[in-house]
Amino acid sequence: MSKHQNKGNRNRLIDGFGREHSYLRISVTDRCNLRCFYCMPHEGIEWLDKSKLLNFDEIERLARVFVSMGVEKIRLTGGEPLVRKELPRLVERLSAIEGLKYLSMTTNAMLLEQYAEAIAEAGITHLNISLDSLKPDRLEKITGRDCFDPVMKGIGKALAVGFPSIKLNVVMIAGVNEDELFDFIEFVKDKPVNVRFIEFMPFRNNDWNIERVLSYKEMLERIETRYSLSPLKAEPSAVAKDYALTGAKGTVSFVTSMSDSFCGSCNRLRLTSDGSIKSCLFYPAEVSLRDAIREGGSDKKIEDLIQYCLGKKPEAHPPAEEIAAAENRAMIEIGG
Ligand code: SF4
């Protein structure tokens, strides 16, 4: 236990560098109905047997423990969360947890037209939608599926339902979709939508190399040749650099984990779909909370395992090349 994890903070999620953790990303499945090359290793993955996945009782119990330790924000991820059967029921159970301020989800929108109303009624307020191209053929190339129409219908439905926050996650890859910076800005100009350009990150066998990273600085310079952007104030632990777009409804952001990392103010923990806690996206070490539960472990036991994992959290992620070489889960097995 580090000096920050002293008796006074025993129930707080404070790591060895004094960072307080209030944001938990829960992956509810490793399965997905798309095959994005930057997320799914090109050799594919072996889907987990359903018995290995956390069930809804276990997810709710763990969420309650984390909230009792200071988590205020939960994001549901996957794979693709909407492929998990009866997901709106889980959303309802989580949004009823006292002390939880913010329940959000990241989706590829393939099933959003069908589920948007149900998840909004159940308690999802903040929606991030992955969309890496506005060109149907190119989107098919990136995702491995002919998905443009259902994704666009899903986005249309989300706007119609009126989620308080809708963000588009665009993984920007040099030589793949870098010529669509302006198109995405035009797409959000008249919509209450934030477009987030995400620097390409290395995960297991996702064809990453440094030449394919289009940096925040490069993107900003290109965008400012045509648009006027003004920086917006960010939350202390925000991962994105936000900008207002003069004369537009939409806003623009950049997630800069490769060129300007934000580890110093990291407040994030991750729970994998098979119940392991990861203190850092790029740090391979993890601790199984599922096994502790299934062995009859108490909430105190779970809290101790969480504190143990947090005590080992690194100060920052290593250089990109080291991340690329590390034996870590694939992105689809973590949920980003
Ligand atoms: S790389 Fe790890 S420490 Fe850095 S911001 Fe991401 S999760 Fe936090």
Side-chain angles (χ1 to χ4, degrees):
M1 186 174 283
S2 75
K3 68 176 186 314
H4 296 287
Q5 293 173 297
N6 58 35
K7 276 267 157 291
N9 295 334
R10 209 196 73 61
N11 212 18
R12 309 301 299 169
L13 296 166
I14 299 173
D15 68 17
F17 304 95
R19 295 171 294 195
E20 177 136 19
H21 294 67
S22 58
Y23 177 9
L24 176 67
R25 299 172 67 103
I26 302 180
S27 167
V28 297
T29 181
D30 63 336
R31 297 178 186 232
C32 188
N33 43 13
L34 295 181
R35 301 284 179 277
C36 306
F37 75 80
Y38 58 79
C39 176
M40 164 86 80
H42 38 60
E43 76 276 12
I45 62 162
E46 207 173 310
W47 302 128
L48 287 167
D49 184 88
K50 288 215 165 45
S51 65
K52 295 255 183 337
L53 287 181
L54 289 176
N55 60 42
F56 285 6
D57 293 343
E58 292 164 337
I59 295 174
E60 185 185 341
R61 178 176 169 194
L62 289 172
R64 285 185 184 285
V65 171
F66 278 102
V67 170
S68 76
M69 300 174 83
V71 161
E72 297 174 339
K73 175 178 172 179
I74 287 179
R75 174 173 296 280
L76 300 181
T77 67
E80 167 51 39
L82 291 173
V83 303
R84 178 96 191 229
K85 280 205 178 53
E86 299 194 63
L87 188 81
R89 216 164 42 76
L90 174 65
V91 172
E92 214 168 307
R93 290 172 66 166
L94 296 178
S95 61
I97 297 176
E98 211 170 310
L100 185 64
K101 295 196 180 124
Y102 182 122
L103 188 53
S104 59
M105 181 185 287
T106 299
T107 174
N108 63 26
M110 282 285 284
L111 297 171
L112 198 50
E113 190 182 15
Q114 187 184 344
Y115 287 105
E117 272 160 2
I119 58 171
E121 271 157 36
I124 293 287
T125 52
H126 294 62
L127 207 56
N128 286 35
I129 297 170
S130 307
L131 178 68
D132 304 305
S133 179
L134 293 165
K135 303 175 190 300
D137 300 348
R138 182 179 286 168
L139 191 62
E140 182 168 350
K141 233 163 138 238
I142 294 171
T143 63
R145 297 283 184 275
D146 175 9
C147 61
F148 189 78
D149 291 346
V151 168
M152 282 303 160
K153 287 195 180 115
I155 294 172
K157 185 70 177 188
L159 287 164
V161 165
F163 288 87
S165 166
I166 298 177
K167 301 181 178 180
L168 287 185
N169 284 356
V170 183
V171 177
M172 217 4 103
I173 304 174
V176 173
N177 55 354
E178 62 180 298
D179 59 352
E180 292 188 67
L181 280 170
F182 298 158
D183 303 345
F184 275 106
I185 291 187
E186 287 303 317
F187 183 75
V188 301
K189 263 172 84 175
D190 61 350
K191 299 177 183 72
V193 172
N194 165 249
V195 59
R196 293 153 48 103
F197 296 117
I198 302 171
E199 291 180 347
F200 184 23
M201 295 181 276
F203 285 97
R204 195 172 77 232
N205 293 344
N206 73 344
D207 299 337
W208 180 91
N209 67 54
I210 197 70
E211 278 78 42
R212 304 185 86 189
V213 175
L214 194 67
S215 74
Y216 151 57
K217 195 164 163 299
E218 175 67 28
M219 291 190 266
L220 190 59
E221 271 167 23
R222 290 187 192 184
I223 292 169
E224 288 187 321
T225 60
R226 192 180 292 187
Y227 301 94
S228 132
L229 295 179
S230 43
L232 293 167
K233 198 166 171 328
E235 281 170 40
S237 297
V239 298
K241 296 173 175 61
D242 304 324
Y243 290 78
L245 196 54
T246 309
K249 263 195 195 160
T251 57
V252 178
S253 299
F254 304 89
V255 179
T256 63
S257 40
M258 294 294 105
S259 69
D260 182 13
S261 84
F262 29 78
C263 301
S265 60
C266 183
N267 68 340
R268 289 166 295 285
L269 292 170
R270 291 169 170 84
L271 184 62
T272 63
S273 58
D274 55 352
S276 287
I277 174 177
K278 283 180 73 71
S279 65
C280 165
L281 178 61
F282 294 124
Y283 184 50
E286 52 187 67
V287 174
S288 177
L289 302 180
R290 177 201 61 197
D291 296 351
I293 288 179
R294 293 184 183 179
E295 287 153 13
S298 66
D299 285 1
K300 167 117 179 24
K301 169 77 181 167
I302 294 165
E303 288 170 12
D304 291 348
L305 288 172
I306 294 170
Q307 292 289 8
Y308 169 78
C309 183
L310 200 50
K312 301 246 178 249
K313 178 166 181 161
E315 186 169 14
H317 69 66
E321 288 71 17
E322 265 182 57
I323 297 173
E327 248 324 294
N328 193 7
R329 288 183 182 228
M331 179 162 168
I332 192 169
E333 297 167 316
I334 304 171

